[in-house]
Amino acid sequence: MHLEENISLAHHTTFRAGGRARFFAVAESEDDLRDIISYARKKNIPFFVLGGGSNVLFGDRGFPGLVIKMNIRGIAYGKEKGGITAVSAGAGEHWDNFVGGTVARGFYGLENLSFIPGSVGAAPVQNIGAYGAEAGDVIVEVSTLNTETLEIEIFSKEACMFSYRDSFFKSPAGGKYIITRVVFGLSSKGSVNISYRDVKDYFEERRNDSPALSDVRDAVIAIRTRKLPDVREVGTAGSFFKNPVVSVYDIEKLKEKHPDVKFFPHGDAVKISAGWLLDHVGGFRGYREGNVGAYKNQALVIVNESGASASEILAFAERMQKIIYEKTGITLEPEVKIVE
Ligand code: EPU
């Protein structure tokens, strides 16, 4: 185990903000992970598992314990069974390289989730989703290390309890498991899902009514590039808040004041577009205050414009929450994991 000290977390997160990790170690294997966890337990210090660092904001005081950079690699394609191929990927694999590989091999299931920053291991935690698809739709099982017993435990799809940007792994009981590997069930004879507005518009504009699998990946990459900043160039963690889920009654009330509000059915309730609220109710799109701003093409995306501190980013986010609450009574909940 190679232990580093006082490592800048701004260098390990796409927000490019936050303090330092007291200790930092990279896990290349399950055994590495066991060693690292045993060390943290022996020293009685907290630990935090970091994937691609694209959905987390550390406070300026950093993390007082051990940050574990997940780097377990390896991708394996199983034999096809009943039309489905189990594809296993290490938690430390780069998400979009993995997705690109599945699409290049002709497997359907992950194409709408193209170009999402981050690692494979983070996908089940918050059940990443985009353009009408969620990772949980195609996850078959998740391997984890139980940090109390140091045994590997496998979670079936059902045990993962996936829902909108949520899973068992985000619950208090899920906190003791570290995801090491994820198995996806993909199909080589699937069909594309182009029902999401932006994707549909993309193909309509190009008069393509039967896009191929790889066309959908290209479309999603083009749409994301247009709407979202590139985390390689700009400090951001994508959508800062979740889209709030409210009752049908609440949306009717809201429509009285904001007849154009954008919302989508979500079970018996509705999911309101937080981006729309922040843009049209809050006036935040493209608004900048000091070193922090809301992205010019997507108000839900907070951008670290130039060397912002975590406190500046959090103050900006709190301001957004306050204004939306005052104007609509809706509480925006962070989607980004805030570690203070
Ligand atoms: N909108 C505005 N102004 C804005 C932003 C959005 O009017 O500034 C409107 C759009 O015109 C559109 C609607 O709001 O009608 C929805 O916008 P968009 O399609 O961009 O999707 P979203 O609901 O804001 C969610 C995810 C994104 C994901 C997209 C596409 C959440 C919190 N965010 O955003 O995920 O890429 O859908 O599926 O669910 C992320 O999680 O980091 C992320 C980027």
Short mmCIF file of all heavy atoms in Angstrom, two decimals, residues 55 116 126 129-132 164-165 196-198 224 227-228 237-243 262 264 271-280 285 295-301 335, ligand 1:
data_model
loop_
_atom_site.label_atom_id
_atom_site.label_comp_id
_atom_site.label_asym_id
_atom_site.label_seq_id
_atom_site.Cartn_x
_atom_site.Cartn_y
_atom_site.Cartn_z
N ASN A 55 -18.57 14.07 -9.34
CA ASN A 55 -19.87 14.38 -8.73
C ASN A 55 -19.72 14.67 -7.24
O ASN A 55 -20.60 14.41 -6.45
CB ASN A 55 -20.84 13.21 -8.95
CG ASN A 55 -22.28 13.65 -8.84
OD1 ASN A 55 -22.68 14.63 -9.46
ND2 ASN A 55 -23.07 12.95 -8.03
N ILE A 116 -20.83 10.62 -20.10
CA ILE A 116 -20.99 11.06 -18.71
C ILE A 116 -19.62 10.93 -18.05
O ILE A 116 -18.98 9.89 -18.16
CB ILE A 116 -22.04 10.20 -17.97
CG1 ILE A 116 -23.41 10.39 -18.62
CG2 ILE A 116 -22.07 10.53 -16.48
CD1 ILE A 116 -24.53 9.60 -17.96
N GLN A 126 -25.24 6.45 -7.69
CA GLN A 126 -26.32 7.42 -7.86
C GLN A 126 -27.16 7.09 -9.08
O GLN A 126 -27.91 7.93 -9.57
CB GLN A 126 -25.77 8.83 -7.88
CG GLN A 126 -24.84 9.12 -9.01
CD GLN A 126 -25.02 10.54 -9.47
OE1 GLN A 126 -25.93 11.24 -9.03
NE2 GLN A 126 -24.19 10.98 -10.38
N GLY A 129 -28.07 8.74 -14.93
CA GLY A 129 -29.11 8.69 -15.94
C GLY A 129 -28.99 9.85 -16.90
O GLY A 129 -28.50 10.91 -16.54
N ALA A 130 -29.41 9.62 -18.13
CA ALA A 130 -29.46 10.69 -19.11
C ALA A 130 -30.23 10.21 -20.34
O ALA A 130 -30.20 9.02 -20.67
CB ALA A 130 -28.05 11.12 -19.54
N TYR A 131 -30.92 11.14 -20.97
CA TYR A 131 -31.58 10.90 -22.25
C TYR A 131 -32.44 9.64 -22.26
O TYR A 131 -32.39 8.82 -23.17
CB TYR A 131 -30.54 10.95 -23.40
CG TYR A 131 -29.78 12.24 -23.30
CD1 TYR A 131 -28.48 12.29 -22.80
CD2 TYR A 131 -30.43 13.43 -23.57
CE1 TYR A 131 -27.84 13.49 -22.59
CE2 TYR A 131 -29.80 14.65 -23.37
CZ TYR A 131 -28.51 14.67 -22.87
OH TYR A 131 -27.90 15.88 -22.67
N GLY A 132 -33.23 9.51 -21.19
CA GLY A 132 -34.22 8.44 -21.15
C GLY A 132 -33.68 7.10 -20.71
O GLY A 132 -34.37 6.08 -20.85
N TYR A 164 -34.56 7.16 -9.07
CA TYR A 164 -33.98 8.36 -9.68
C TYR A 164 -32.79 8.90 -8.87
O TYR A 164 -32.96 9.32 -7.74
CB TYR A 164 -35.07 9.44 -9.84
CG TYR A 164 -34.53 10.80 -10.23
CD1 TYR A 164 -33.81 10.97 -11.41
CD2 TYR A 164 -34.74 11.90 -9.43
CE1 TYR A 164 -33.30 12.22 -11.75
CE2 TYR A 164 -34.26 13.15 -9.76
CZ TYR A 164 -33.52 13.30 -10.92
OH TYR A 164 -33.02 14.53 -11.26
N ARG A 165 -31.61 8.82 -9.44
CA ARG A 165 -30.36 9.29 -8.83
C ARG A 165 -30.18 8.74 -7.41
O ARG A 165 -29.67 9.42 -6.52
CB ARG A 165 -30.31 10.82 -8.78
CG ARG A 165 -30.16 11.50 -10.12
CD ARG A 165 -28.84 11.17 -10.78
NE ARG A 165 -28.57 12.05 -11.90
CZ ARG A 165 -29.08 11.90 -13.12
NH1 ARG A 165 -29.86 10.87 -13.40
NH2 ARG A 165 -28.77 12.74 -14.09
N TYR A 196 -36.29 10.68 -25.84
CA TYR A 196 -36.00 11.94 -25.12
C TYR A 196 -35.97 13.10 -26.11
O TYR A 196 -35.36 13.00 -27.18
CB TYR A 196 -34.64 11.82 -24.39
CG TYR A 196 -34.42 12.87 -23.31
CD1 TYR A 196 -34.81 12.64 -22.00
CD2 TYR A 196 -33.81 14.09 -23.61
CE1 TYR A 196 -34.60 13.59 -21.01
CE2 TYR A 196 -33.61 15.05 -22.62
CZ TYR A 196 -34.01 14.79 -21.32
OH TYR A 196 -33.79 15.73 -20.34
N ARG A 197 -36.64 14.18 -25.72
CA ARG A 197 -36.82 15.34 -26.61
C ARG A 197 -35.58 15.73 -27.44
O ARG A 197 -35.62 15.78 -28.67
CB ARG A 197 -37.29 16.51 -25.73
CG ARG A 197 -37.33 17.86 -26.30
CD ARG A 197 -38.70 18.27 -26.82
NE ARG A 197 -38.89 17.91 -28.21
CZ ARG A 197 -40.04 17.63 -28.78
NH1 ARG A 197 -41.14 17.63 -28.08
NH2 ARG A 197 -40.11 17.34 -30.05
N ASP A 198 -34.47 15.95 -26.74
CA ASP A 198 -33.26 16.43 -27.43
C ASP A 198 -32.76 15.41 -28.45
O ASP A 198 -32.23 15.79 -29.51
CB ASP A 198 -32.13 16.67 -26.42
CG ASP A 198 -32.35 17.92 -25.60
OD1 ASP A 198 -33.28 18.67 -25.90
OD2 ASP A 198 -31.56 18.15 -24.65
N ARG A 224 -24.65 16.57 -25.46
CA ARG A 224 -23.97 16.90 -24.20
C ARG A 224 -22.92 17.99 -24.43
O ARG A 224 -22.74 18.87 -23.59
CB ARG A 224 -23.31 15.66 -23.58
CG ARG A 224 -24.28 14.66 -23.03
CD ARG A 224 -23.54 13.61 -22.22
NE ARG A 224 -23.14 14.11 -20.91
CZ ARG A 224 -23.84 13.97 -19.79
NH1 ARG A 224 -24.97 13.32 -19.80
NH2 ARG A 224 -23.40 14.46 -18.66
N LYS A 227 -24.71 21.29 -24.63
CA LYS A 227 -25.42 21.79 -23.44
C LYS A 227 -24.59 21.87 -22.18
O LYS A 227 -24.92 22.62 -21.27
CB LYS A 227 -26.59 20.84 -23.14
CG LYS A 227 -27.75 21.03 -24.09
CD LYS A 227 -29.01 20.65 -23.36
CE LYS A 227 -30.19 21.35 -23.98
NZ LYS A 227 -31.43 20.94 -23.32
N LEU A 228 -23.59 21.00 -22.10
CA LEU A 228 -22.86 20.89 -20.83
C LEU A 228 -21.39 21.26 -21.02
O LEU A 228 -20.82 20.96 -22.08
CB LEU A 228 -22.97 19.46 -20.29
CG LEU A 228 -24.39 18.96 -20.03
CD1 LEU A 228 -24.42 17.45 -19.87
CD2 LEU A 228 -24.96 19.63 -18.80
N ALA A 237 -19.36 19.94 -11.78
CA ALA A 237 -19.75 18.55 -11.48
C ALA A 237 -21.10 18.26 -12.13
O ALA A 237 -21.90 17.49 -11.62
CB ALA A 237 -19.79 18.32 -9.98
N GLY A 238 -21.37 18.90 -13.25
CA GLY A 238 -22.63 18.66 -13.97
C GLY A 238 -23.81 19.24 -13.20
O GLY A 238 -23.67 20.26 -12.50
N SER A 239 -24.96 18.59 -13.30
CA SER A 239 -26.15 19.08 -12.60
C SER A 239 -25.83 19.19 -11.11
O SER A 239 -25.40 18.22 -10.50
CB SER A 239 -27.32 18.10 -12.75
OG SER A 239 -27.68 17.93 -14.08
N PHE A 240 -26.05 20.36 -10.54
CA PHE A 240 -25.72 20.51 -9.12
C PHE A 240 -26.86 20.00 -8.24
O PHE A 240 -26.63 19.48 -7.16
CB PHE A 240 -25.41 21.97 -8.77
CG PHE A 240 -24.74 22.09 -7.44
CD1 PHE A 240 -23.35 22.05 -7.34
CD2 PHE A 240 -25.48 22.18 -6.26
CE1 PHE A 240 -22.72 22.10 -6.10
CE2 PHE A 240 -24.85 22.24 -5.02
CZ PHE A 240 -23.47 22.20 -4.94
N PHE A 241 -28.10 20.14 -8.75
CA PHE A 241 -29.27 19.70 -7.98
C PHE A 241 -30.00 18.58 -8.71
O PHE A 241 -29.88 18.44 -9.93
CB PHE A 241 -30.25 20.86 -7.77
CG PHE A 241 -29.65 22.02 -7.02
CD1 PHE A 241 -29.27 23.18 -7.69
CD2 PHE A 241 -29.47 21.96 -5.65
CE1 PHE A 241 -28.71 24.25 -7.00
CE2 PHE A 241 -28.92 23.03 -4.96
CZ PHE A 241 -28.54 24.18 -5.63
N LYS A 242 -30.80 17.83 -7.95
CA LYS A 242 -31.68 16.85 -8.57
C LYS A 242 -32.91 17.58 -9.08
O LYS A 242 -33.26 18.66 -8.56
CB LYS A 242 -32.14 15.83 -7.53
CG LYS A 242 -31.04 14.91 -7.10
CD LYS A 242 -31.62 13.73 -6.36
CE LYS A 242 -31.22 13.78 -4.92
NZ LYS A 242 -31.57 12.62 -4.13
N ASN A 243 -33.58 16.99 -10.04
CA ASN A 243 -34.86 17.54 -10.45
C ASN A 243 -35.88 17.19 -9.37
O ASN A 243 -36.06 16.01 -9.04
CB ASN A 243 -35.29 16.92 -11.79
CG ASN A 243 -34.51 17.50 -12.96
OD1 ASN A 243 -34.09 18.66 -12.91
ND2 ASN A 243 -34.31 16.72 -14.00
N LYS A 262 -41.56 23.39 -16.94
CA LYS A 262 -41.27 22.11 -17.61
C LYS A 262 -41.27 20.99 -16.57
O LYS A 262 -40.57 21.08 -15.56
CB LYS A 262 -39.89 22.13 -18.27
CG LYS A 262 -39.81 22.90 -19.57
CD LYS A 262 -39.81 21.92 -20.72
CE LYS A 262 -39.79 22.51 -22.11
NZ LYS A 262 -40.04 23.87 -22.35
N PHE A 264 -42.14 16.43 -16.03
CA PHE A 264 -42.29 15.13 -16.69
C PHE A 264 -42.96 14.17 -15.72
O PHE A 264 -42.74 14.27 -14.52
CB PHE A 264 -40.90 14.58 -17.06
CG PHE A 264 -40.05 15.61 -17.78
CD1 PHE A 264 -39.23 16.47 -17.06
CD2 PHE A 264 -40.11 15.73 -19.15
CE1 PHE A 264 -38.47 17.46 -17.69
CE2 PHE A 264 -39.35 16.70 -19.81
CZ PHE A 264 -38.53 17.56 -19.08
N LYS A 271 -41.81 15.15 -12.09
CA LYS A 271 -40.43 15.59 -11.86
C LYS A 271 -40.30 16.93 -12.57
O LYS A 271 -40.52 17.02 -13.78
CB LYS A 271 -39.50 14.56 -12.46
CG LYS A 271 -38.08 14.71 -12.04
CD LYS A 271 -37.34 13.38 -12.12
CE LYS A 271 -36.84 13.10 -13.51
NZ LYS A 271 -35.97 11.93 -13.57
N ILE A 272 -39.99 17.96 -11.81
CA ILE A 272 -39.87 19.30 -12.41
C ILE A 272 -38.43 19.51 -12.86
O ILE A 272 -37.49 19.07 -12.20
CB ILE A 272 -40.22 20.40 -11.39
CG1 ILE A 272 -41.61 20.16 -10.79
CG2 ILE A 272 -40.17 21.78 -12.03
CD1 ILE A 272 -42.02 21.22 -9.80
N SER A 273 -38.28 20.20 -13.97
CA SER A 273 -36.93 20.51 -14.43
C SER A 273 -36.33 21.62 -13.57
O SER A 273 -36.75 22.78 -13.64
CB SER A 273 -36.99 20.94 -15.90
OG SER A 273 -35.78 21.58 -16.20
N ALA A 274 -35.34 21.24 -12.76
CA ALA A 274 -34.67 22.23 -11.91
C ALA A 274 -33.95 23.26 -12.77
O ALA A 274 -33.87 24.44 -12.42
CB ALA A 274 -33.68 21.53 -10.97
N GLY A 275 -33.43 22.81 -13.92
CA GLY A 275 -32.75 23.72 -14.83
C GLY A 275 -33.71 24.81 -15.31
O GLY A 275 -33.36 25.99 -15.37
N TRP A 276 -34.92 24.41 -15.61
CA TRP A 276 -35.92 25.37 -16.08
C TRP A 276 -36.22 26.38 -14.97
O TRP A 276 -36.26 27.59 -15.20
CB TRP A 276 -37.21 24.65 -16.51
CG TRP A 276 -38.18 25.57 -17.19
CD1 TRP A 276 -38.29 25.81 -18.52
CD2 TRP A 276 -39.15 26.41 -16.53
NE1 TRP A 276 -39.27 26.76 -18.75
CE2 TRP A 276 -39.81 27.14 -17.55
CE3 TRP A 276 -39.51 26.64 -15.20
CZ2 TRP A 276 -40.82 28.06 -17.27
CZ3 TRP A 276 -40.51 27.57 -14.92
CH2 TRP A 276 -41.16 28.27 -15.95
N LEU A 277 -36.42 25.88 -13.74
CA LEU A 277 -36.73 26.78 -12.61
C LEU A 277 -35.60 27.78 -12.40
O LEU A 277 -35.83 28.98 -12.25
CB LEU A 277 -36.92 25.97 -11.32
CG LEU A 277 -38.16 25.08 -11.19
CD1 LEU A 277 -38.07 24.28 -9.88
CD2 LEU A 277 -39.43 25.91 -11.20
N LEU A 278 -34.36 27.27 -12.41
CA LEU A 278 -33.22 28.15 -12.15
C LEU A 278 -33.04 29.17 -13.26
O LEU A 278 -32.64 30.30 -13.03
CB LEU A 278 -31.94 27.31 -11.99
CG LEU A 278 -31.87 26.51 -10.69
CD1 LEU A 278 -30.81 25.43 -10.76
CD2 LEU A 278 -31.58 27.45 -9.51
N ASP A 279 -33.39 28.76 -14.46
CA ASP A 279 -33.27 29.65 -15.62
C ASP A 279 -34.44 30.65 -15.64
O ASP A 279 -34.24 31.87 -15.53
CB ASP A 279 -33.27 28.76 -16.88
CG ASP A 279 -33.15 29.55 -18.17
OD1 ASP A 279 -33.05 30.79 -18.11
OD2 ASP A 279 -33.15 28.92 -19.25
N HIS A 280 -35.66 30.15 -15.69
CA HIS A 280 -36.81 31.02 -15.95
C HIS A 280 -37.40 31.66 -14.70
O HIS A 280 -38.00 32.73 -14.78
CB HIS A 280 -37.89 30.25 -16.71
CG HIS A 280 -37.39 29.78 -18.04
ND1 HIS A 280 -37.47 30.55 -19.18
CD2 HIS A 280 -36.76 28.65 -18.41
CE1 HIS A 280 -36.92 29.90 -20.19
NE2 HIS A 280 -36.49 28.74 -19.75
N ARG A 285 -29.37 31.40 -15.45
CA ARG A 285 -28.57 30.88 -16.58
C ARG A 285 -27.59 31.95 -17.06
O ARG A 285 -28.00 33.07 -17.37
CB ARG A 285 -29.48 30.43 -17.73
CG ARG A 285 -28.71 29.81 -18.87
CD ARG A 285 -29.56 28.86 -19.68
NE ARG A 285 -30.70 29.49 -20.30
CZ ARG A 285 -30.64 30.14 -21.46
NH1 ARG A 285 -29.52 30.22 -22.12
NH2 ARG A 285 -31.72 30.70 -21.95
N TYR A 295 -23.94 27.78 -15.76
CA TYR A 295 -23.48 27.62 -17.15
C TYR A 295 -24.43 28.31 -18.14
O TYR A 295 -25.65 28.32 -17.93
CB TYR A 295 -23.37 26.12 -17.48
CG TYR A 295 -22.64 25.85 -18.77
CD1 TYR A 295 -21.35 26.35 -18.97
CD2 TYR A 295 -23.23 25.11 -19.77
CE1 TYR A 295 -20.68 26.11 -20.16
CE2 TYR A 295 -22.56 24.85 -20.97
CZ TYR A 295 -21.29 25.35 -21.15
OH TYR A 295 -20.63 25.12 -22.33
N LYS A 296 -23.86 28.84 -19.19
CA LYS A 296 -24.65 29.65 -20.13
C LYS A 296 -25.72 28.83 -20.88
O LYS A 296 -26.73 29.37 -21.29
CB LYS A 296 -23.74 30.38 -21.12
CG LYS A 296 -22.89 29.46 -21.99
CD LYS A 296 -22.00 30.30 -22.91
CE LYS A 296 -21.31 29.52 -24.00
NZ LYS A 296 -20.48 28.39 -23.61
N ASN A 297 -25.50 27.53 -21.02
CA ASN A 297 -26.48 26.71 -21.73
C ASN A 297 -27.29 25.79 -20.83
O ASN A 297 -28.11 25.02 -21.32
CB ASN A 297 -25.77 25.82 -22.78
CG ASN A 297 -25.04 26.63 -23.82
OD1 ASN A 297 -25.42 27.78 -24.06
ND2 ASN A 297 -24.02 26.07 -24.42
N GLN A 298 -27.05 25.83 -19.53
CA GLN A 298 -27.75 24.93 -18.60
C GLN A 298 -27.63 25.49 -17.19
O GLN A 298 -26.60 25.36 -16.55
CB GLN A 298 -27.11 23.54 -18.65
CG GLN A 298 -28.02 22.35 -18.86
CD GLN A 298 -29.09 22.15 -17.79
OE1 GLN A 298 -29.24 22.93 -16.87
NE2 GLN A 298 -29.85 21.09 -17.93
N ALA A 299 -28.70 26.11 -16.71
CA ALA A 299 -28.63 26.79 -15.42
C ALA A 299 -28.39 25.84 -14.25
O ALA A 299 -27.95 26.25 -13.17
CB ALA A 299 -29.92 27.57 -15.18
N LEU A 300 -28.67 24.55 -14.44
CA LEU A 300 -28.52 23.57 -13.37
C LEU A 300 -27.05 23.22 -13.12
O LEU A 300 -26.70 22.58 -12.13
CB LEU A 300 -29.31 22.31 -13.77
CG LEU A 300 -29.51 21.16 -12.82
CD1 LEU A 300 -30.03 21.64 -11.48
CD2 LEU A 300 -30.47 20.14 -13.43
N VAL A 301 -26.20 23.67 -14.02
CA VAL A 301 -24.78 23.32 -13.94
C VAL A 301 -24.00 24.49 -13.37
O VAL A 301 -23.90 25.55 -13.99
CB VAL A 301 -24.26 22.94 -15.35
CG1 VAL A 301 -22.75 22.71 -15.33
CG2 VAL A 301 -24.99 21.70 -15.87
N GLU A 335 -27.50 17.25 -5.99
CA GLU A 335 -27.26 15.97 -6.64
C GLU A 335 -25.79 15.61 -6.45
O GLU A 335 -25.42 14.45 -6.36
CB GLU A 335 -27.60 16.11 -8.13
CG GLU A 335 -27.70 14.80 -8.88
CD GLU A 335 -26.63 14.67 -9.93
OE1 GLU A 335 -25.80 15.58 -10.07
OE2 GLU A 335 -26.61 13.64 -10.60
N1 EPU B 1 -34.04 24.03 -19.27
C1 EPU B 1 -34.16 25.40 -19.38
N2 EPU B 1 -33.10 26.16 -18.98
C2 EPU B 1 -31.97 25.64 -18.47
C3 EPU B 1 -31.85 24.24 -18.37
C4 EPU B 1 -32.91 23.45 -18.77
O1 EPU B 1 -35.18 25.91 -19.81
O2 EPU B 1 -31.07 26.42 -18.13
C5 EPU B 1 -35.15 23.20 -19.76
C6 EPU B 1 -34.77 22.56 -21.10
O3 EPU B 1 -35.10 23.36 -22.16
C7 EPU B 1 -35.55 21.27 -21.09
C8 EPU B 1 -35.65 20.92 -19.62
O4 EPU B 1 -35.33 22.10 -18.90
O5 EPU B 1 -36.85 21.46 -21.56
C9 EPU B 1 -34.76 19.78 -19.24
O6 EPU B 1 -33.40 20.11 -19.54
P1 EPU B 1 -32.32 18.99 -19.93
O7 EPU B 1 -32.82 18.16 -21.06
O8 EPU B 1 -31.01 19.65 -20.10
O9 EPU B 1 -32.29 18.00 -18.71
P2 EPU B 1 -32.23 18.21 -17.13
O10 EPU B 1 -33.47 17.65 -16.56
O11 EPU B 1 -31.87 19.61 -16.77
C10 EPU B 1 -31.20 15.88 -16.61
C11 EPU B 1 -30.06 15.32 -15.83
C12 EPU B 1 -28.76 15.47 -16.62
C13 EPU B 1 -28.92 14.73 -17.93
C14 EPU B 1 -30.11 15.35 -18.70
C15 EPU B 1 -30.42 14.62 -19.97
C16 EPU B 1 -30.66 15.58 -13.50
C17 EPU B 1 -30.41 16.32 -12.23
N3 EPU B 1 -29.94 15.99 -14.55
O12 EPU B 1 -30.99 17.27 -16.72
O13 EPU B 1 -27.74 14.82 -15.87
O14 EPU B 1 -27.76 14.82 -18.73
O15 EPU B 1 -31.30 15.26 -17.87
O16 EPU B 1 -31.06 13.43 -19.70
O17 EPU B 1 -31.46 14.64 -13.50
C18 EPU B 1 -26.06 15.17 -14.22
O18 EPU B 1 -26.68 14.39 -13.51
O19 EPU B 1 -24.98 15.72 -13.82
C19 EPU B 1 -26.57 15.50 -15.54
C20 EPU B 1 -25.98 16.37 -16.35
#
